[in-house]
Amino acid sequence: MRVVESLRASHPELNIQGFYTREIREGSQRAGFEVVTLDGRRGPLASSTASRESLRWPCVGKYKVDLASFEAIALPELEVKEGTDLFIIDEVGKMELFSSLFFPAVLKVLESNIPILATIPIPKSGRDITEVSRLRNHPVAAVSTLNTGNRDAIRETIYTQIVSLLQKH
């Protein structure tokens, strides 16, 4: 989101669409995640709190994934539209990929040749998610690994790469 904030400040004319996911905290505990569009619409992505309806939802660890909410918020943001300059997809991860509609929508964005800034998880225990691997290994992908020690420097690198892509596009 810091890259998006920098882009909006330096290039206010850009039409950026997409979404990001954010932790929901209750005190010091993570209670779940929400999906948030760049224009501020939001809805639950996953929760550690069980409900009658969540019993049927897919799980990632202790979190139940609310596919209906995720799809209602995120999928419209992945529609390729005339005039879109940049897509933000945070993230293409296990929770999001429970939606059978999500990855095909991501591929359509990729095929549109509109620049994309997306986040993907690092493979755990040497095991990668097939869809994530496809994105990581895509011929036009530039992959950066972020951690708390390098995120400020990497943010500048990513910002510069995106500005360069936008100028070519």
Side-chain angles (χ1 to χ4, degrees), residues 27-150:
S28 63
Q29 300 292 317
R30 184 189 309 154
F33 299 89
E34 67 179 347
V35 58
V36 184
T37 64
L38 298 182
D39 62 5
R41 291 179 299 112
R42 64 186 63 224
L45 169 60
S47 175
S48 60
T49 307
S51 68
R52 183 184 312 256
E53 58 198 14
S54 73
L55 294 175
R56 297 183 304 277
W57 295 351
C59 292
V60 175
K62 68 179 182 177
Y63 301 102
K64 299 279 194 175
V65 181
D66 186 340
L67 291 178
S69 171
F70 171 71
E71 290 177 346
I73 301 292
L75 291 180
E77 295 301 306
L78 298 180
E79 292 176 12
V80 176
K81 298 174 188 162
E82 186 72 33
T84 300
D85 298 307
L86 176 66
F87 280 96
I88 305 299
I89 307 173
D90 176 14
E91 80 178 319
V92 180
K94 193 169 185 179
M95 288 183 189
E96 296 82 2
L97 289 166
F98 274 116
S99 165
S100 62
L101 302 174
F102 177 64
F103 195 66
V106 171
L107 291 178
K108 281 185 183 172
V109 170
L110 194 59
E111 291 164 5
S112 76
N113 292 317
I114 296 169
I116 304 167
L117 174 56
T119 60
I120 56 175
I122 295 172
K124 291 194 170 101
S125 306
R127 294 190 356 244
D128 205 356
I129 300 168
T130 303
E131 295 88 345
V132 172
S133 179
R134 282 182 65 187
L135 295 179
R136 180 182 293 106
N137 297 313
H138 193 277
V140 298
V143 179
S144 300
T145 302
L146 271 67
N147 58 48
T148 54
N150 73 2

Side-chain angles (χ1 to χ4, degrees), residues 15-37:
N15 182 4
I16 307 172
Q17 68 184 66
F19 71 90
Y20 62 97
T21 54
R22 189 168 75 179
E23 286 185 351
I24 299 170
R25 298 193 78 81
E26 291 176 359
S28 63
Q29 300 292 317
R30 184 189 309 154
F33 299 89
E34 67 179 347
V35 58
V36 184
T37 64

Side-chain angles (χ1 to χ4, degrees), residues 141-168:
V143 179
S144 300
T145 302
L146 271 67
N147 58 48
T148 54
N150 73 2
R151 67 179 168 202
D152 290 333
I154 295 283
R155 179 176 68 214
E156 291 301 317
T157 301
I158 293 170
Y159 170 85
T160 302
Q161 288 173 331
I162 294 291
V163 169
S164 176
L165 277 173
L166 291 169
Q167 289 169 346
K168 292 175 188 172

